[in-house]
Structure formats: structure tokens, C-alpha cells
């Protein structure tokens, strides 16, 4: 199986994950990509916050590399991150905070989906959930 694509996921100090496809060099030995600096506005150490996935032409994972990510403060006025700010993890699933309706926090569930246009995976947020007694319950329309 040949390496066809590289995806990098960086989780910031507020707990928000951002996936970016990285372009392979012509010899296939290096991958290049960028993240917006605003994604790393707050500082902190994120356990397994840096993930590199090597994908084949069908989008299947050939290998995965996970490491801790340390974001250093950019100045004296920098603020530490707060992982509970962006999402809640429950049962291996991640739920992103979306809006507050009538004083109740709502969430969307994150799912990884294959994007055939970029030959990689993207995060897709679906549903409308609230926490009821520590369990996510989908809000019916």
C-alpha cells in the first residue's frame, strides 16, 4: 500500500481540534501544511494533541502518530487554555458547544467523514444535543 495523503489534527488548549490536509512533496518524503495562528491563541499542554495520519488512496489509515502538543504563551498577557471551553468528551465521542437556548447549553456531535475532494478525512458536526443527568440526549425538533 502506498502513501497517498497525510492529515494532521492539532487540538488547541481550549480543546478544539482542527484537521488539515498536508500536501506531499513530489518525492513523497515530506508533507507540508499550515494552521491558522488564531487556533493557538491560548497556551497549554495538550495530551495527544498532535496527530499525524498517513492515508492510502482509498482514505484508509496506514499509520497514525500521536504526540503531546505544547503551546507556549505568546506574551505576558497570554491566557491559559480551558479544555471545557469548546467541547465535552463522553464515551469516546466529542461534542462541540454550539449555542445556549433558554439557558441550556447545546452541542453538536463530531464525526469523522471522508472527503473525496481532498482525499482525506474532515470533522463533521451533526445533531443537536443537550446534557441530561450527565448523558447526551438528542433534542427532537
Amino acid at each position: 500500500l502506498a502513501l497517498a495523503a497525510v492529515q494532521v489534527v492539532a487540538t488547541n488548549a481550549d480543546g478544539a481540534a482542527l484537521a488539515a490536509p498536508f500536501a506531499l512533496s513530489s518525492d513523497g518524503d515530506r508533507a507540508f501544511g499550515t494552521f491558522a495562528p488564531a487556533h493557538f491563541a491560548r497556551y497549554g499542554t495538550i495530551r495527544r494533541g498532535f496527530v499525524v495520519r498517513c492515508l492510502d488512496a482509498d482514505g484508509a489509515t496506514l499509520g497514525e502518530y500521536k504526540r503531546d502538543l505544547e503551546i507556549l504563551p505568546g506574551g505576558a498577557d497570554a491566557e491559559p487554555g480551558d479544555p471545557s471551553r469548546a467541547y465535552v468528551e463522553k464515551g469516546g465521542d466529542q461534542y462541540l458547544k454550539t449555542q445556549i437556548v433558554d439557558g441550556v447549553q447545546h452541542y453538536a456531535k463530531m464525526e469523522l467523514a471522508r472527503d473525496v475532494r481532498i482525499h482525506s478525512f474532515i470533522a463533521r458536526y451533526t445533531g443537536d444535543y443537550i446534557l441530561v443527568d450527565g448523558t447526551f440526549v438528542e433534542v427532537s425538533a
Side-chain angles (χ1 to χ4, degrees), residues 16-33:
L18 181 63
F22 274 40
L24 290 173
S25 62
S26 59
D27 60 9
D29 287 343
R30 292 163 296 193
F32 300 92

Side-chain angles (χ1 to χ4, degrees), residues 57-112:
D58 294 325
T61 300
L62 298 171
E64 188 172 83
Y65 173 84
K66 294 181 181 182
R67 290 295 180 257
D68 293 348
L69 176 62
E70 183 175 5
I71 301 166
L72 300 175
D77 60 346
E79 295 180 18
D82 177 5
S84 66
R85 213 176 130 105
Y87 79 95
V88 173
E89 189 168 333
K90 200 79 158 161
D93 291 323
Q94 290 183 1
Y95 295 84
L96 179 72
K97 291 181 178 180
T98 56
Q99 61 184 339
I100 296 175
V101 178
D102 296 327
V104 177
Q105 178 67 60
H106 285 242
Y107 301 83
K109 185 177 180 179
M110 184 185 81
E111 298 171 345
L112 286 179

Side-chain angles (χ1 to χ4, degrees), residues 1 3 10 16 45-46 51 59 61 86 100 119 128 132 135:
L1 296 174
L3 176 65
T45 300
I46 303 91
V51 180
T61 300
I100 296 175
H119 302 289
D128 183 15
V132 177
T135 303

